[in-house]
Amino acid sequence: MEPRYQIGLMLIVLGVIIVTAGLLVFYIDKIPYIGRLPGDINMYGKGGSFHFPIVTGIILSIILTIILNLFFRR
């Protein structure tokens, strides 16, 4: 393939990834237990709140690793 077609293909893939990430952020509250697992840190105070979903991040990382290994295994 010519370089300009490769760049175009990469831009299309990047656009799909950005749209997918945007939809995920938009609908993340509808998914049960995301950010509310045991081990996720939620602190509330007078001036605001702090959320650190460490267990949710670890579980999502494991799931994405498995999915990507299935697709990109050589």
Side-chain angles (χ1 to χ4, degrees):
M1 271 199 270
E2 290 186 38
R4 70 175 186 212
Y5 293 119
Q6 290 177 343
I7 292 172
L9 182 62
M10 285 189 336
L11 287 174
I12 291 171
V13 170
L14 185 63
V16 169
I17 290 171
I18 290 173
V19 168
T20 303
L23 288 173
L24 183 65
V25 167
F26 191 68
Y27 290 110
I28 198 78
D29 290 340
K30 308 272 191 279
I31 301 172
Y33 303 115
I34 295 294
R36 296 177 195 91
L37 292 173
D40 291 344
I41 299 171
N42 296 311
M43 295 189 301
Y44 303 98
K46 293 179 187 176
S49 61
F50 174 75
H51 305 283
F52 188 64
I54 190 164
V55 175
T56 301
I58 292 170
I59 290 174
L60 289 176
S61 175
I62 292 169
I63 291 170
L64 285 174
T65 300
I66 292 170
I67 290 171
L68 290 175
N69 277 328
L70 289 175
F71 283 113
F72 295 112
R73 182 167 287 207
R74 293 179 188 185

